[in-house]
């Protein structure tokens, strides 16, 4: 062996994989700690990942706020499944980060007096958020990194993590996705910040996938709550147009109605109606269409006049809006056909991290949405996931720099490097295989409609796992005529590997809870499943263990916890699945 | 998927779109003077290129191919109000 060595070698103290908010803050803190820092991204740092496409809302504590009240609200909303140690640290440090971001440049929305304008968030009484311009923020962060001496490599995909003889993560093999050059990176510590669990081609954030989850998994790190892989919102109009702003539309008076013109959510949640938790609205949507009362429309006839202004403002921050570009012309005169997407898209599952953002393998750290965001419980809201990127990124960068200074950086065997290089070269040399896009199309068909992803069962999960295994076998025969296609081949393999862990976790969980629903186990089983569900790799298999949530030690405790109850999705789907009409 | 429409007659070759495209769909041509749509099937419709092109030579067609993912199609449900 040793004959296939990479084209070039780069040395760093800290390697950061992924240049969104979490990665930029991690790299900045590592630089400030004196570490030689390398930040790599498959795209272009400042326009990469989902951060520049975020809605621009983050949790914003300011001096004088009673953060204990905020924490209590977030825990209650999260079904007491939050890591409360993380939540307290998060709120305290986010107050400082808001000030730092404000000093960095004019990216935060202010009121006429020049104070930070804050909004209340859906379902929250005390927690306040600010609005910021995500793209300008990312541009400023890139500039700060360059000023601080961070080495940034755009268009670089990390193919595999490398470990030293002591089992520490000590670097990576990476691919330059324009030139095909293969790099060996030797690093004292590595931080993964590659964003949420996502499937390409569905959610408009196509340079995010499951690479970080798969890298951590193969390196032996624990993943947490991987069965909570599905998410979505009302996002498709007329079966083909993107609807970008369900929450904004609700704020301006939009309603969901069924084919009979009935505002059906009043039967499912008379108090909050369309503003109840999204999994429950989508379950109600499915119930309506399965019971013959579909299709469902978004009714904008009564929306106030500021709707269009706000949609235009969002367009600046995110993607285009079909209403304001005139493709759907008469939305003020008649309801518009709408349906949700419910597919692989989750901040709720991912790499398990400690309070210093360390993963369960020495030398490896993670931050942002690639982790199971520890501060939130069952529902992430009030801008917490975006804010968590800054706080966790900062913690990860500092801790990784510290680790690299004292413990990191052993020798890496050439065999490890060679096997990755061989894998990449084999796909490049294969002239007769399938194109990677064929795999992504097959995954689309496998995931299917929102119904196919929301209503799981032992049979459905087994079928998904069978087909996932078959697609993984097809990945062994992919062709990639250029490095762009080679990246996609890697992304397909990584997605399928992480997705199989997710479905194995679903198989192991005989209950339903919040966004996770099994029709063969429709109740929430607090006696056995009020826990964190951790997965570890053992050869080709996933091993699972349940970790108790230490409520006895936490300050905020639930008033009472029923041993079991019908899950909210199960309740809303009752009529379609069991013939009992909702009141 | 979305489609990028790039008007080469207007492109000034500044290279910003090829620099920032998150999915690397836009590249510069071999002499580096014009942007090209190198991977038309891979556009995710983020609109960064549209927003940052200084001469407004790029448009995105966002119409999505939802074959196999629309529950209305699967259940044969039609839009009775608008048809």
């Amino acid at each position: 062996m040793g004959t296939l060595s990479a084209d070039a070698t780069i040395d760093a103290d800290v390697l950061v994989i992924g240049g969104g908010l979490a990665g930029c803050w991690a790299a900045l803190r590592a630089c400030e700690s004196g570490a030689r820092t390398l930040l790599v991204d498959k795209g272009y740092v400042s326009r990469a990942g989902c951060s520049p496409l975020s809605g621009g809302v983050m949790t914003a504590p300011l001096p004088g706020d009673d953060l204990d009240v905020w924490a209590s609200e977030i825990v209650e909303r999260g079904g007491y499944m939050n890591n409360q140690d993380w939540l307290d640290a998060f709120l305290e440090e986010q107050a400082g980060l808001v000030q730092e971001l404000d000093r960095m440049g004019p990216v935060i929305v202010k009121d006429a007096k020049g104070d930070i304008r804050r909004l209340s968030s859906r379902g929250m009484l005390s927690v306040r958020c600010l609005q910021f311009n995500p793209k300008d923020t990312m541009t400023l962060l890139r500039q700060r990194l360059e000023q601080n001496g961070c080495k940034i490599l755009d268009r670089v995909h990390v193919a595999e993590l490398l470990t030293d003889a002591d089992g520490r993560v000590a670097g990576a093999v990476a691919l330059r996705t324009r030139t095909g050059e293969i790099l060996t990176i030797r690093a004292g510590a590595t931080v993964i910040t590659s964003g949420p669990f996502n499937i390409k081609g569905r959610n408009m954030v196509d340079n995010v996938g499951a690479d970080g989850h798969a890298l951590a998994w193969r390196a032996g790190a624990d993943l947490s709550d991987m069965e909570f892989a599905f998410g979505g919102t009302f996002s498709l109009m007329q079966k083909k147009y993107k609807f970008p702003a369900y929450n904004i539309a609700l704020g301006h008076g939009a309603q969901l109605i069924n084919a009979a013109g009935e505002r059906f959510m009043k039967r499912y949640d008379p108090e909050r109606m369309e503003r109840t938790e999204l999994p429950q609205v989508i379950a109600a949507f499915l119930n309506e269409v399965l019971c013959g009362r579909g299709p469902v429309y978004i009714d904008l006839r009564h929306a106030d006049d500021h709707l269009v202004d706000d949609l235009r403002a969002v367009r600046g921050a995110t993607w285009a809006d079909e209403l304001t570009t005139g493709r759907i012309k008469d939305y003020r005169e008649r309801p518009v056909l709408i349906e949700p997407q419910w597919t692989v898209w989750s901040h709720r599952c991912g790499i398990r991290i400690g309070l210093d953002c360390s993963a369960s393998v020495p030398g490896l750290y993670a931050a942002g949405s690639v982790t199971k965001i520890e501060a939130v419980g069952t529902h992430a809201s009030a801008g917490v996931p975006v804010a968590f990127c800054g706080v966790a990124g900062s913690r990860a960068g500092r801790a990784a720099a510290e680790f690299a200074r004292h413990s990191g950086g052993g020798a890496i065997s050439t065999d490890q490097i060679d096997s990755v290089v061989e894998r990449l070269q084999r796909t490049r040399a294969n002239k007769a295989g399938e194109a990677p896009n064929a795999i992504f199309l097959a995954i689309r068909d496998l995931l299917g409609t929102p119904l196919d992803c929301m209503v799981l069962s032992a049979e459905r999960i087994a079928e998904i796992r069978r087909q996932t295994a078959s697609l993984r076998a097809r990945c062994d025969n992919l062709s990639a005529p250029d490095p762009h296609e080679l990246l996609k081949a890697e992304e397909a393999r990584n997605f399928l590997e992480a997705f199989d862990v997710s479905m194995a976790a679903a198989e192991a969980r005989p209950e339903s809870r919040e966004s996770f629903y099994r029709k063969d186990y429709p109740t929430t089983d607090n006696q056995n499943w009020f826990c964190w569900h951790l997965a570890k790799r053992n050869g080709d298999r996933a091993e699972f263990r349940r970790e108790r949530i230490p409520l006895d030690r936490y300050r905020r405790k639930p008033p009472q916890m029923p041993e079991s109850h019908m899950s909210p999705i199960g309740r809303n789907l009752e009529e379609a699945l069991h013939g009992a009409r909702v009141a | 998927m979305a489609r990028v429409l790039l008007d080469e007659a207007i492109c000034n070759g500044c290279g910003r779109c090829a620099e920032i495209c998150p999915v690397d769909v836009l590249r510069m041509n071999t002499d580096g003077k014009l942007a090209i749509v190198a991977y038309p099937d891979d556009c995710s419709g983020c609109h960064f290129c549209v927003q940052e092109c200084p001469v407004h030579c790029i448009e995105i067609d966002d119409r999505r191919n939802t074959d196999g993912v629309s529950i209305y199609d699967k259940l044969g449900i039609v839009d009775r109000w608008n048809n």
Side-chain angles (χ1 to χ4, degrees), chain A residues 76-97:
Chain A
E76 195 181 326
R77 176 93 164 163
Y80 294 85
M81 295 191 80
N82 317 57
N83 179 327
Q84 294 188 29
D85 297 331
W86 245 117
L87 178 59
D88 288 332
F90 160 72
L91 286 173
E92 195 178 312
E93 285 171 34
Q94 174 62 5
L97 271 178

PDB file of all heavy atoms in Angstrom, chain A residues 76-97:
ATOM      1  N   GLU A  76     -41.060  23.934  28.307  1.00  0.00           N
ATOM      2  CA  GLU A  76     -42.465  23.507  28.263  1.00  0.00           C
ATOM      3  C   GLU A  76     -42.862  23.196  26.818  1.00  0.00           C
ATOM      4  O   GLU A  76     -43.469  22.181  26.518  1.00  0.00           O
ATOM      5  CB  GLU A  76     -43.342  24.619  28.832  1.00  0.00           C
ATOM      6  CG  GLU A  76     -44.744  24.173  29.159  1.00  0.00           C
ATOM      7  CD  GLU A  76     -45.583  25.326  29.702  1.00  0.00           C
ATOM      8  OE1 GLU A  76     -45.028  26.211  30.407  1.00  0.00           O
ATOM      9  OE2 GLU A  76     -46.769  25.363  29.390  1.00  0.00           O
ATOM     10  N   ARG A  77     -42.457  24.097  25.940  1.00  0.00           N
ATOM     11  CA  ARG A  77     -42.762  23.922  24.518  1.00  0.00           C
ATOM     12  C   ARG A  77     -42.056  22.671  23.957  1.00  0.00           C
ATOM     13  O   ARG A  77     -42.539  22.030  23.043  1.00  0.00           O
ATOM     14  CB  ARG A  77     -42.281  25.176  23.786  1.00  0.00           C
ATOM     15  CG  ARG A  77     -42.420  25.143  22.322  1.00  0.00           C
ATOM     16  CD  ARG A  77     -43.724  25.760  21.879  1.00  0.00           C
ATOM     17  NE  ARG A  77     -43.667  26.055  20.464  1.00  0.00           N
ATOM     18  CZ  ARG A  77     -44.726  26.297  19.725  1.00  0.00           C
ATOM     19  NH1 ARG A  77     -45.911  26.301  20.269  1.00  0.00           N
ATOM     20  NH2 ARG A  77     -44.590  26.546  18.446  1.00  0.00           N
ATOM     21  N   GLY A  78     -40.905  22.348  24.533  1.00  0.00           N
ATOM     22  CA  GLY A  78     -40.125  21.213  24.042  1.00  0.00           C
ATOM     23  C   GLY A  78     -40.493  19.889  24.678  1.00  0.00           C
ATOM     24  O   GLY A  78     -39.752  18.909  24.545  1.00  0.00           O
ATOM     25  N   GLY A  79     -41.620  19.874  25.409  1.00  0.00           N
ATOM     26  CA  GLY A  79     -42.075  18.611  26.001  1.00  0.00           C
ATOM     27  C   GLY A  79     -41.098  18.078  27.051  1.00  0.00           C
ATOM     28  O   GLY A  79     -41.070  16.880  27.316  1.00  0.00           O
ATOM     29  N   TYR A  80     -40.290  18.970  27.660  1.00  0.00           N
ATOM     30  CA  TYR A  80     -39.337  18.612  28.713  1.00  0.00           C
ATOM     31  C   TYR A  80     -38.254  17.639  28.228  1.00  0.00           C
ATOM     32  O   TYR A  80     -37.598  16.983  29.004  1.00  0.00           O
ATOM     33  CB  TYR A  80     -40.078  18.058  29.953  1.00  0.00           C
ATOM     34  CG  TYR A  80     -40.917  19.138  30.592  1.00  0.00           C
ATOM     35  CD1 TYR A  80     -42.202  19.423  30.139  1.00  0.00           C
ATOM     36  CD2 TYR A  80     -40.394  19.926  31.615  1.00  0.00           C
ATOM     37  CE1 TYR A  80     -42.957  20.436  30.674  1.00  0.00           C
ATOM     38  CE2 TYR A  80     -41.145  20.948  32.170  1.00  0.00           C
ATOM     39  CZ  TYR A  80     -42.419  21.201  31.699  1.00  0.00           C
ATOM     40  OH  TYR A  80     -43.150  22.217  32.232  1.00  0.00           O
ATOM     41  N   MET A  81     -38.090  17.572  26.914  1.00  0.00           N
ATOM     42  CA  MET A  81     -37.057  16.680  26.380  1.00  0.00           C
ATOM     43  C   MET A  81     -35.760  17.428  26.082  1.00  0.00           C
ATOM     44  O   MET A  81     -34.815  16.859  25.539  1.00  0.00           O
ATOM     45  CB  MET A  81     -37.572  15.967  25.135  1.00  0.00           C
ATOM     46  CG  MET A  81     -38.742  15.042  25.470  1.00  0.00           C
ATOM     47  SD  MET A  81     -39.185  13.961  24.133  1.00  0.00           S
ATOM     48  CE  MET A  81     -37.953  12.673  24.286  1.00  0.00           C
ATOM     49  N   ASN A  82     -35.703  18.706  26.428  1.00  0.00           N
ATOM     50  CA  ASN A  82     -34.484  19.501  26.221  1.00  0.00           C
ATOM     51  C   ASN A  82     -33.376  19.035  27.153  1.00  0.00           C
ATOM     52  O   ASN A  82     -33.641  18.545  28.244  1.00  0.00           O
ATOM     53  CB  ASN A  82     -34.743  20.973  26.545  1.00  0.00           C
ATOM     54  CG  ASN A  82     -36.061  21.490  25.996  1.00  0.00           C
ATOM     55  OD1 ASN A  82     -37.111  20.950  26.292  1.00  0.00           O
ATOM     56  ND2 ASN A  82     -36.001  22.529  25.214  1.00  0.00           N
ATOM     57  N   ASN A  83     -32.144  19.264  26.737  1.00  0.00           N
ATOM     58  CA  ASN A  83     -31.014  19.176  27.652  1.00  0.00           C
ATOM     59  C   ASN A  83     -30.942  20.548  28.336  1.00  0.00           C
ATOM     60  O   ASN A  83     -30.521  21.535  27.734  1.00  0.00           O
ATOM     61  CB  ASN A  83     -29.738  18.883  26.869  1.00  0.00           C
ATOM     62  CG  ASN A  83     -28.516  18.811  27.749  1.00  0.00           C
ATOM     63  OD1 ASN A  83     -28.426  19.516  28.763  1.00  0.00           O
ATOM     64  ND2 ASN A  83     -27.558  17.986  27.362  1.00  0.00           N
ATOM     65  N   GLN A  84     -31.383  20.611  29.584  1.00  0.00           N
ATOM     66  CA  GLN A  84     -31.529  21.921  30.240  1.00  0.00           C
ATOM     67  C   GLN A  84     -30.184  22.564  30.579  1.00  0.00           C
ATOM     68  O   GLN A  84     -30.097  23.789  30.686  1.00  0.00           O
ATOM     69  CB  GLN A  84     -32.426  21.799  31.475  1.00  0.00           C
ATOM     70  CG  GLN A  84     -33.869  21.444  31.119  1.00  0.00           C
ATOM     71  CD  GLN A  84     -34.814  21.517  32.308  1.00  0.00           C
ATOM     72  OE1 GLN A  84     -34.602  22.291  33.251  1.00  0.00           O
ATOM     73  NE2 GLN A  84     -35.875  20.711  32.274  1.00  0.00           N
ATOM     74  N   ASP A  85     -29.149  21.762  30.768  1.00  0.00           N
ATOM     75  CA  ASP A  85     -27.808  22.339  30.976  1.00  0.00           C
ATOM     76  C   ASP A  85     -27.418  23.143  29.736  1.00  0.00           C
ATOM     77  O   ASP A  85     -26.898  24.252  29.821  1.00  0.00           O
ATOM     78  CB  ASP A  85     -26.766  21.245  31.218  1.00  0.00           C
ATOM     79  CG  ASP A  85     -27.053  20.456  32.487  1.00  0.00           C
ATOM     80  OD1 ASP A  85     -27.647  21.029  33.425  1.00  0.00           O
ATOM     81  OD2 ASP A  85     -26.683  19.264  32.526  1.00  0.00           O
ATOM     82  N   TRP A  86     -27.671  22.543  28.573  1.00  0.00           N
ATOM     83  CA  TRP A  86     -27.342  23.211  27.311  1.00  0.00           C
ATOM     84  C   TRP A  86     -28.199  24.461  27.131  1.00  0.00           C
ATOM     85  O   TRP A  86     -27.723  25.507  26.683  1.00  0.00           O
ATOM     86  CB  TRP A  86     -27.581  22.261  26.130  1.00  0.00           C
ATOM     87  CG  TRP A  86     -26.333  21.890  25.395  1.00  0.00           C
ATOM     88  CD1 TRP A  86     -25.811  20.642  25.285  1.00  0.00           C
ATOM     89  CD2 TRP A  86     -25.458  22.764  24.656  1.00  0.00           C
ATOM     90  NE1 TRP A  86     -24.657  20.675  24.530  1.00  0.00           N
ATOM     91  CE2 TRP A  86     -24.424  21.966  24.139  1.00  0.00           C
ATOM     92  CE3 TRP A  86     -25.435  24.126  24.400  1.00  0.00           C
ATOM     93  CZ2 TRP A  86     -23.382  22.495  23.363  1.00  0.00           C
ATOM     94  CZ3 TRP A  86     -24.405  24.659  23.632  1.00  0.00           C
ATOM     95  CH2 TRP A  86     -23.400  23.842  23.136  1.00  0.00           C
ATOM     96  N   LEU A  87     -29.480  24.340  27.482  1.00  0.00           N
ATOM     97  CA  LEU A  87     -30.392  25.467  27.275  1.00  0.00           C
ATOM     98  C   LEU A  87     -29.961  26.684  28.094  1.00  0.00           C
ATOM     99  O   LEU A  87     -29.931  27.817  27.580  1.00  0.00           O
ATOM    100  CB  LEU A  87     -31.823  25.048  27.649  1.00  0.00           C
ATOM    101  CG  LEU A  87     -32.886  26.136  27.531  1.00  0.00           C
ATOM    102  CD1 LEU A  87     -32.971  26.673  26.111  1.00  0.00           C
ATOM    103  CD2 LEU A  87     -34.239  25.598  27.969  1.00  0.00           C
ATOM    104  N   ASP A  88     -29.598  26.474  29.369  1.00  0.00           N
ATOM    105  CA  ASP A  88     -29.174  27.603  30.206  1.00  0.00           C
ATOM    106  C   ASP A  88     -27.910  28.250  29.647  1.00  0.00           C
ATOM    107  O   ASP A  88     -27.810  29.472  29.562  1.00  0.00           O
ATOM    108  CB  ASP A  88     -28.937  27.134  31.651  1.00  0.00           C
ATOM    109  CG  ASP A  88     -30.255  26.823  32.370  1.00  0.00           C
ATOM    110  OD1 ASP A  88     -31.285  27.439  32.019  1.00  0.00           O
ATOM    111  OD2 ASP A  88     -30.240  25.968  33.268  1.00  0.00           O
ATOM    112  N   ALA A  89     -26.954  27.409  29.258  1.00  0.00           N
ATOM    113  CA  ALA A  89     -25.703  27.941  28.695  1.00  0.00           C
ATOM    114  C   ALA A  89     -25.986  28.697  27.400  1.00  0.00           C
ATOM    115  O   ALA A  89     -25.434  29.775  27.148  1.00  0.00           O
ATOM    116  CB  ALA A  89     -24.723  26.794  28.436  1.00  0.00           C
ATOM    117  N   PHE A  90     -26.869  28.135  26.608  1.00  0.00           N
ATOM    118  CA  PHE A  90     -27.210  28.729  25.314  1.00  0.00           C
ATOM    119  C   PHE A  90     -27.790  30.135  25.491  1.00  0.00           C
ATOM    120  O   PHE A  90     -27.350  31.088  24.839  1.00  0.00           O
ATOM    121  CB  PHE A  90     -28.208  27.811  24.599  1.00  0.00           C
ATOM    122  CG  PHE A  90     -29.001  28.466  23.520  1.00  0.00           C
ATOM    123  CD1 PHE A  90     -28.408  28.807  22.316  1.00  0.00           C
ATOM    124  CD2 PHE A  90     -30.343  28.776  23.709  1.00  0.00           C
ATOM    125  CE1 PHE A  90     -29.148  29.433  21.310  1.00  0.00           C
ATOM    126  CE2 PHE A  90     -31.081  29.399  22.718  1.00  0.00           C
ATOM    127  CZ  PHE A  90     -30.477  29.729  21.516  1.00  0.00           C
ATOM    128  N   LEU A  91     -28.768  30.274  26.372  1.00  0.00           N
ATOM    129  CA  LEU A  91     -29.415  31.590  26.513  1.00  0.00           C
ATOM    130  C   LEU A  91     -28.432  32.628  27.049  1.00  0.00           C
ATOM    131  O   LEU A  91     -28.403  33.774  26.595  1.00  0.00           O
ATOM    132  CB  LEU A  91     -30.633  31.481  27.438  1.00  0.00           C
ATOM    133  CG  LEU A  91     -31.856  30.784  26.815  1.00  0.00           C
ATOM    134  CD1 LEU A  91     -32.940  30.566  27.855  1.00  0.00           C
ATOM    135  CD2 LEU A  91     -32.403  31.582  25.631  1.00  0.00           C
ATOM    136  N   GLU A  92     -27.619  32.209  28.005  1.00  0.00           N
ATOM    137  CA  GLU A  92     -26.664  33.149  28.598  1.00  0.00           C
ATOM    138  C   GLU A  92     -25.655  33.625  27.548  1.00  0.00           C
ATOM    139  O   GLU A  92     -25.375  34.809  27.419  1.00  0.00           O
ATOM    140  CB  GLU A  92     -25.955  32.454  29.755  1.00  0.00           C
ATOM    141  CG  GLU A  92     -25.217  33.413  30.674  1.00  0.00           C
ATOM    142  CD  GLU A  92     -24.587  32.639  31.820  1.00  0.00           C
ATOM    143  OE1 GLU A  92     -25.286  31.819  32.440  1.00  0.00           O
ATOM    144  OE2 GLU A  92     -23.382  32.852  32.059  1.00  0.00           O
ATOM    145  N   GLU A  93     -25.128  32.701  26.757  1.00  0.00           N
ATOM    146  CA  GLU A  93     -24.095  33.083  25.783  1.00  0.00           C
ATOM    147  C   GLU A  93     -24.683  33.770  24.563  1.00  0.00           C
ATOM    148  O   GLU A  93     -24.027  34.599  23.929  1.00  0.00           O
ATOM    149  CB  GLU A  93     -23.287  31.843  25.376  1.00  0.00           C
ATOM    150  CG  GLU A  93     -22.345  31.451  26.500  1.00  0.00           C
ATOM    151  CD  GLU A  93     -21.660  30.110  26.263  1.00  0.00           C
ATOM    152  OE1 GLU A  93     -21.379  29.782  25.101  1.00  0.00           O
ATOM    153  OE2 GLU A  93     -21.422  29.411  27.256  1.00  0.00           O
ATOM    154  N   GLN A  94     -25.922  33.451  24.216  1.00  0.00           N
ATOM    155  CA  GLN A  94     -26.535  34.100  23.065  1.00  0.00           C
ATOM    156  C   GLN A  94     -26.682  35.602  23.306  1.00  0.00           C
ATOM    157  O   GLN A  94     -26.583  36.407  22.367  1.00  0.00           O
ATOM    158  CB  GLN A  94     -27.891  33.447  22.746  1.00  0.00           C
ATOM    159  CG  GLN A  94     -28.700  34.117  21.647  1.00  0.00           C
ATOM    160  CD  GLN A  94     -28.015  34.116  20.276  1.00  0.00           C
ATOM    161  OE1 GLN A  94     -26.947  33.527  20.104  1.00  0.00           O
ATOM    162  NE2 GLN A  94     -28.607  34.802  19.323  1.00  0.00           N
ATOM    163  N   ALA A  95     -26.906  36.015  24.563  1.00  0.00           N
ATOM    164  CA  ALA A  95     -27.009  37.447  24.859  1.00  0.00           C
ATOM    165  C   ALA A  95     -25.734  38.168  24.416  1.00  0.00           C
ATOM    166  O   ALA A  95     -25.784  39.250  23.821  1.00  0.00           O
ATOM    167  CB  ALA A  95     -27.265  37.648  26.355  1.00  0.00           C
ATOM    168  N   GLY A  96     -24.583  37.567  24.667  1.00  0.00           N
ATOM    169  CA  GLY A  96     -23.313  38.165  24.247  1.00  0.00           C
ATOM    170  C   GLY A  96     -23.125  38.137  22.737  1.00  0.00           C
ATOM    171  O   GLY A  96     -22.605  39.081  22.144  1.00  0.00           O
ATOM    172  N   LEU A  97     -23.577  37.045  22.127  1.00  0.00           N
ATOM    173  CA  LEU A  97     -23.416  36.940  20.668  1.00  0.00           C
ATOM    174  C   LEU A  97     -24.276  37.956  19.916  1.00  0.00           C
ATOM    175  O   LEU A  97     -23.873  38.458  18.864  1.00  0.00           O
ATOM    176  CB  LEU A  97     -23.772  35.525  20.205  1.00  0.00           C
ATOM    177  CG  LEU A  97     -22.631  34.517  20.189  1.00  0.00           C
ATOM    178  CD1 LEU A  97     -23.148  33.156  19.764  1.00  0.00           C
ATOM    179  CD2 LEU A  97     -21.504  34.954  19.259  1.00  0.00           C
TER     180      LEU A  97
END
